[in-house]
Amino acid sequence: MIDTIRNSRSELITKQTELEEEKERFKLAIDGANDGLWDWNLKTNEVYHSPRFETMLGYQVGELPNSIECWSELLHPEDTEQAHRRVKEYLGTKGEGRYENTFRMRTKSGDWRWITGRGKALFDETGTAVRFVGFNTDITKLIMQQKELRHQRDTLQFQASHDALTDLANRTLFTYQLEQGIDKAVRDNSKLALLFIDLDHFKEINDSLGHRTGDEVLKTVTLRLKQTVRAKDAIARLGGDEFTILIEDLKQDQDASRLAEKIQHKLSNPIIVDNHELYITISIGISIYPDNGKTSKDLLKNADAAMYKAKSEGRNNFQYYSAEMTAQAFERVQMETRLRMAIENDEFVVFYQPQFNGVSNRLVGMEALVRWQDPSLGLIFPSQFIPIAESTGLIVEIDRLVMKKAVAQFSEWYRKGLQPGTLSLNLSMRQLQRKDLVEFLLASLEGADCSPEWLEMEITEGHVMENPEEAIKVLSKIDSIGIKLALDDFGTGYSSLSYLKRLPITKLKIDRSFIKDLPNDTEDKAISKAVIALAKSLDLEILAEGVETIDQIEFLVENGCEVFQGFFYSKPIPVSEMEAYLEKKTWIDAEPSFV
Ligand SMILES: Nc1nc2c(ncn2[C@@H]2O[C@@H]3COP(=O)(O)O[C@H]4[C@@H](O)[C@H](n5cnc6c(=O)[nH]c(N)nc65)O[C@@H]4COP(=O)(O)O[C@H]3[C@H]2O)c(=O)[nH]1
């Protein structure tokens, strides 16, 4: 018996010693691992934190409360949601796998430490977690090292693809961007332009004022180039004083020269370096994809060649690779300047073309058509200047001049009792995009004491279809002030029926191109009949433009179109002629012709 007790005692002592050793081993392991232990009793919601858990976050041992809320409150706001979710997910697994997650925790001094928590939970027989134990490891150093490595890698990559002085793309990156641009242009069937820019006499600045000044000049040029191009246009410094710009989605070849001019203008302001006032000029060569090359190599080579041509033409200018394009660009530049002068000098006059009801032979209104009365060249027709006025935005001013003059004229004719009918005015897309259009119209009407019912605005079908939703919005505003709306050049702009129904228009004008060969051309006959039927079904008035012969009128009247504008009745005529015509009122007593 005594032996048995002795044996049990010594067994107990051995077990106790083993337990002590185990505890010690465990403590050593925890201390050695430098991790913070946590033990969460999910039944009482109490949490045990090991001393390291607290010191890891800069707290004294025993300073942190023993609650799970304490952990939650120390989490970084950006990580709180995911940290909670991860714990919830793990506890919902009923014991499968291990818990592991990384988040940031706030230290006592307010810094943030990156922590990886790992642990395992104990689940009861119902699968409910009752205890959750694990370690927190501070991985801040590792994260910082990784960040530093990433930063170094990015820096190296940046340095390999960028110019060290200006931070612009270098030749390698630009060639890549150009190739990407060409691929996209092939896919979209679009064009792109490459501008090759070289500073004139840059070497002299470097030689006389030193490289540091030269560097400052290059940096200022870079800044100004960035301020001039769109954010999506790629700029590069190929080396020395050579820069390139890539313009994608080029709408017209001439847009490239417009940008070239803008750059020249931007760089014409002096650059001040160390009290030196430096005047820089540049020579620009332009190549266009696909016209002047289909590969990056050819486009660069040809833009470079064009730039040399610009140098040989006396510097401070731009040249396209193709001489024809350069000539067109200069013509455009000259035309733009002349148009601006013409606006200033009030050289635009309004002609009026009458519109008749071909059945009653009565005048129903007239269209105002602009003419440019150039002092030396005489009368210039819209086809020669409207496209440039549209692309430069000058059309807005021209249209407003025409509107003001025509509205005032109409008001006068009405006051004189001349019954001029409805005044049709052309409305360009640019005008439609102006936020102040309706205010302008209201002010013009009020200024001239003109009634909105006398007016009709024409907008071409093509323009409306460029952005139908926007057009519907603006046209509705015009409609709401009582001005009628007509869709011009109908048949050329591929209107969709659904839009046509939603546009607040009251009239369709069949385009001249479908009238020209009537009544002989079978296709034009079918089209004009279909357009008339369409207008009728939508309850719209219909006018045929460009009628020149009685046969055309007969055919159209037979098929339901009664209102006409065209040389058969009259060409557009100046104010004096129109006034004389109105005064005669010949149509008032005229016999109806097609009854
Ligand atoms: N061959 C032929 N032609 C005829 C006949 N009847 C009329 N025309 C011409 O057809 C054009 C009708 O004007 P549009 O379709 O609005 O086409 C106009 C219009 O889109 C635009 N335009 C004219 N004035 C203005 C304006 O003040 N502002 C805006 N934005 N555009 C204008 O320029 C275009 C051309 O104007 P115009 O040269 O005056 O040309 C006018 C007119 O002279 C005919 O029987 N035979």
Side-chain angles (χ1 to χ4, degrees), residues 27-36 52 56 135-137:
K27 187 174 178 312
L28 277 172
I30 292 172
D31 290 350
N34 207 21
D35 290 338
R52 177 63 191 134
M56 189 185 278
F135 292 98
N136 274 5
T137 312

Side-chain angles (χ1 to χ4, degrees), residues 367 426 458-462 486-495 507-518 523-525 527-532 535 541-548 552 555-556 561 563-566:
E367 179 175 2
N426 283 287
E458 289 183 11
I459 171 108
T460 65
E461 189 193 15
L487 204 54
D488 199 8
D489 302 346
F490 190 75
T492 59
Y494 309 104
S495 289
K507 187 186 280 178
L508 290 187
K509 290 184 83 175
I510 317 178
D511 190 57
R512 194 170 74 223
S513 56
F514 303 114
I515 307 296
K516 189 164 58 61
D517 298 324
L518 288 180
E523 213 169 287
D524 287 347
K525 268 163 71 177
I527 294 174
S528 50
K529 275 187 188 177
V531 174
I532 295 168
E541 292 169 37
I542 183 111
L543 178 149
E545 285 186 302
V547 288
E548 296 186 357
Q552 289 168 344
F555 173 83
L556 290 161
C561 172
V563 183
F564 305 104
Q565 179 181 341

Side-chain angles (χ1 to χ4, degrees), residues 194-200 238 241-244 282-287 299-322 326:
L194 173 57
L195 268 63
F196 201 112
I197 302 169
D198 190 284
L199 309 195
D200 298 329
L238 299 195
D241 57 351
E242 287 176 350
F243 295 85
T244 45
I282 51 172
S283 301
I284 305 175
I286 305 169
S287 66
L299 285 169
L300 273 163
K301 190 180 77 194
N302 292 340
D304 191 14
M307 186 274 292
Y308 273 100
K309 204 155 75 180
K311 292 256 178 216
S312 65
E313 293 282 329
R315 299 183 161 87
N316 192 20
N317 73 93
F318 64 82
Q319 294 283 327
Y320 280 90
Y321 180 66
S322 123
T326 306

